[in-house]
C-alpha cells in the first residue's frame, strides 16, 4: 500500500460500507482521518489496517464497543447530538434529531448551535455550558428550541460531557414535551379567563386582564381587541396589551389608526367568517395591511378569534408572536370557546 489518500466515497467503497457508516467510524475515533474544509480524507494504509483488524484480530472489544455505540446512536428513537463543549459546534446527530428539527444532516454538521439559531433564548447556550462545566451533566432541563420551520418547541434536555476524538464534547438528548405543555397551558388559560369574567362587571374591565393572561400563558407577546362599529360597518381597535419587552409602538399606533371592513386583514377575515384564524407569518401574508410594520418590529405568528353570541360577532381579538408559529388546531378550538364565553358575558351584562 502507498500513502495515497481517498475521499469519503472511495474509502467507503474500499471498506464495503456506506458513507454514513464511514462518517460514524471517523467521528467515533475508530478510523483515522484528516479534514480538508468539510471533506474528510482517509489514508489507504489506515483503511487497510482497519479492515485487517476487523478480519483477523481476536480481541475486538474496543472496536465492538464503538460499533455498538454507533448502532445505538443511529437506532434510538430519541433525538441525540454530539457537539463541542467550547463552541457548541455540531459533530454528529442521529436521524431522530433530523426528523424532529426538519434539518438535513449537511445543514447542521460543522455549524454551531448559535449559527443554526436553535435556541429560542440565545442565553440558553451559555447557561447550559456553565452547568456542564460545573457539574458535568444535566438532567431534564426544560428549554425552548427552534426548528427549521421557525416553530419553537419545548423539550427536556439531558446532556453530559464526554471526550470525543480527543476533544471535550457534549452528548445531548432531548425529549419533546411540546404537546404536553401546550395542553397544560390551554387549560390554565381557559380557567383564568373564566375567573376574570366571573369577577368583572363589564367587558372593558375584563379585556386588559384577558389579553395579558392569554398572551403570557400561551406564548404571545401582543394582543388587541377590535370592536364592531355597526353604524360605520367597520372594526375599530380598542384595547391593546403587549409584554414590557416588546417594542411595537409603530404597530400599535397603526392598529389604532386603521379600520377594517369584513374580509380585510386578519380582524376582517375573522369578522366575515365568524371563525378563528391562524397566520403562521403575517409578514408574508397577502391580506395583512400591517405586514411591513410587523416585519420591522419582529411580529410574525398571529391568531385571532371572534367574540360571538347567537351567530352575531361583537368584536375580534388577535394575538402576535415574534416567532413564526404553525397552526395549532387545539389552540384554535380553545380560543373559539373563549370567544363564545366572552360573547355570552356581554349578552348577560
Amino acid at each position: 500500500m502507498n500513502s495515497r489518500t481517498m475521499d469519503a466515497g472511495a474509502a467507503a467503497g474500499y471498506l464495503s460500507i456506506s458513507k454514513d457508516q464511514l462518517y460514524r467510524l471517523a467521528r467515533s475515533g475508530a478510523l483515522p482521518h484528516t479534514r480538508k474544509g468539510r471533506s474528510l480524507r482517509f489514508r489507504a494504509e489506515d483503511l487497510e489496517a482497519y479492515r485487517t483488524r476487523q478480519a483477523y484480530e481476536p480481541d475486538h472489544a474496543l472496536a465492538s464497543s464503538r460499533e455498538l455505540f454507533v448502532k445505538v446512536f443511529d437506532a434510538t428513537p430519541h433525538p441525540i447530538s454530539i457537539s463541542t463543549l467550547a463552541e457548541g459546534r455540531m459533530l454528529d446527530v442521529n436521524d431522530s434529531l433530523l426528523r424532529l428539527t426538519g434539518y438535513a444532516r449537511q445543514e447542521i454538521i460543522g455549524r454551531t448551535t448559535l449559527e443554526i439559531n436553535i435556541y429560542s433564548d440565545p442565553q440558553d447556550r451559555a447557561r447550559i455550558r456553565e452547568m456542564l462545566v460545573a457539574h458535568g451533566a444535566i438532567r431534564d432541563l426544560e428549554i425552548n428550541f427552534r426548528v427549521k420551520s421557525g416553530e419553537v418547541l419545548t423539550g427536556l434536555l439531558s446532556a453530559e460531557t464526554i471526550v470525543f476524538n480527543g476533544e471535550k464534547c457534549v452528548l445531548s438528548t432531548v425529549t419533546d414535551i411540546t404537546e404536553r405543555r401546550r395542553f397544560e397551558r390551554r387549560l390554565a388559560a381557559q380557567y383564568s379567563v373564566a375567573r376574570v369574567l366571573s369577577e368583572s362587571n363589564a367587558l372593558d374591565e375584563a379585556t386588559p386582564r384577558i389579553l395579558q393572561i392569554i398572551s403570557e400563558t400561551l406564548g404571545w407577546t401582543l394582543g388587541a381587541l377590535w370592536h364592531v362599529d355597526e353604524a360605520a360597518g367597520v372594526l375599530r381597535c380598542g384595547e391593546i396589551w403587549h409584554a414590557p419587552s416588546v417594542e411595537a409602538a409603530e404597530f400599535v399606533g397603526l392598529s389604532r389608526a386603521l379600520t377594517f371592513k369584513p374580509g380585510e386583514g386578519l380582524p376582517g377575515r375573522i369578522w366575515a367568517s365568524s371563525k378563528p384564524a391562524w397566520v403562521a407569518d403575517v409578514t408574508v401574508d397577502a391580506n395583512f395591511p400591517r405586514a411591513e410594520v410587523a416585519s420591522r418590529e419582529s411580529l410574525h405568528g398571529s391568531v385571532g378569534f371572534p367574540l360571538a353570541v347567537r351567530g352575531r360577532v361583537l368584536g375580534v381579538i388577535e394575538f402576535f408572536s415574534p416567532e413564526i408559529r404553525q397552526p395549532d388546531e387545539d389552540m384554535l378550538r380553545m380560543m373559539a370557546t373563549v370567544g363564545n364565553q366572552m360573547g355570552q358575558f356581554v349578552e348577560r351584562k
Side-chain angles (χ1 to χ4, degrees):
M1 297 287 295
N2 56 38
S3 60
R4 67 188 179 91
T5 63
M6 302 182 193
D7 63 18
Y14 185 82
L15 296 179
S16 299
I17 60 176
S18 70
K19 286 177 70 173
D20 272 352
Q21 288 174 306
L22 181 79
Y23 290 142
R24 296 279 189 259
L25 291 171
R27 290 174 187 136
S28 71
L31 192 59
H33 63 280
T34 58
R35 183 182 292 274
K36 186 176 182 180
R38 289 197 175 186
S39 300
L40 301 184
R41 304 289 300 183
F42 301 85
R43 295 194 313 167
E45 53 263 44
D46 291 330
L47 296 173
E48 180 61 23
Y50 177 80
R51 191 164 67 173
T52 300
R53 286 198 307 272
Q54 294 299 103
Y56 300 112
E57 283 186 2
D59 184 5
H60 298 302
L62 181 58
S64 296
S65 66
R66 285 170 171 162
E67 290 174 10
L68 177 61
F69 171 80
V70 168
K71 289 179 180 179
V72 172
F73 187 90
D74 285 340
T76 180
H78 300 290
I80 301 178
S81 67
I82 300 174
S83 59
T84 61
L85 177 62
E87 297 179 285
R89 190 170 302 279
M90 304 296 283
L91 301 179
D92 205 358
V93 297
N94 68 355
D95 289 342
S96 296
L97 187 139
L98 297 176
R99 285 192 294 270
L100 176 64
T101 62
Y103 285 105
R105 189 177 303 278
Q106 62 269 24
E107 293 176 309
I108 288 185
I109 300 302
R111 302 177 67 195
T112 69
T113 52
L114 293 180
E115 289 170 343
I116 301 167
N117 195 28
I118 202 165
Y119 292 113
S120 176
D121 180 354
Q123 299 303 315
D124 279 349
R125 157 67 187 156
R127 181 167 63 101
I128 290 168
R129 184 180 182 280
E130 288 174 4
M131 294 172 68
L132 287 168
V133 169
H135 306 292
I138 294 172
R139 293 291 179 267
D140 293 334
L141 174 68
E142 186 166 326
I143 61 166
N144 293 320
F145 60 97
R146 186 181 291 102
V147 296
K148 185 178 179 179
S149 67
E151 184 180 7
V152 174
L153 306 181
T154 302
L156 295 178
L157 174 71
S158 293
E160 60 181 84
T161 56
I162 62 172
V163 175
F164 187 74
N165 285 347
E167 183 175 8
K168 202 159 191 179
C169 295
V170 181
L171 178 66
S172 306
T173 183
V174 64
T175 301
D176 183 10
I177 60 167
T178 305
E179 290 307 317
R180 184 203 314 174
R181 286 290 180 261
R182 286 175 178 170
F183 175 74
E184 294 168 351
R185 289 164 186 158
R186 287 195 301 268
L187 284 182
Q190 266 189 277
Y191 171 79
S192 297
V193 167
R195 178 173 51 79
V196 168
L197 291 174
S198 70
E199 296 170 353
S200 302
N201 296 314
L203 184 62
D204 288 346
E205 177 186 345
T207 298
R209 295 172 63 192
I210 290 174
L211 292 178
Q212 181 176 358
I213 285 168
I214 292 179
S215 294
E216 292 180 341
T217 307
L218 300 180
W220 305 97
T221 56
L222 186 149
L225 169 66
W226 295 78
H227 297 283
V228 172
D229 182 339
E230 293 184 340
V234 297
L235 284 166
R236 298 186 187 278
C237 187
E239 187 71 33
I240 295 180
W241 177 92
H242 63 78
S245 60
V246 171
E247 296 181 2
E250 188 179 1
F251 186 84
V252 169
L254 180 60
S255 297
R256 294 195 186 281
L258 290 176
T259 60
F260 290 113
K261 295 178 181 179
E264 292 181 342
L266 179 60
R269 265 182 278 178
I270 296 167
W271 184 17
S273 68
S274 300
K275 295 179 181 178
W278 191 296
V279 181
D281 186 357
V282 297
T283 67
V284 295
D285 187 78
N287 185 13
F288 194 80
R290 296 168 286 169
E292 186 177 338
V293 176
S295 179
R296 283 200 294 272
E297 298 189 327
S298 297
L299 298 173
H300 291 277
S302 184
V303 67
F305 59 91
L307 278 60
V309 60
R310 302 183 189 278
R312 175 175 164 237
V313 175
L314 307 175
V316 170
I317 287 181
E318 61 179 358
F319 295 95
F320 295 88
S321 167
E323 310 287 350
I324 296 171
R325 294 182 62 166
Q326 299 305 317
D328 180 339
E329 294 298 328
D330 291 324
M331 188 181 293
L332 284 170
R333 283 191 287 270
M334 169 254 163
M335 288 191 167
T337 300
V338 169
N340 289 333
Q341 286 178 321
M342 294 179 72
Q344 292 166 8
F345 171 82
V346 173
E347 185 180 45
R348 289 197 303 270
K349 298 297 181 180

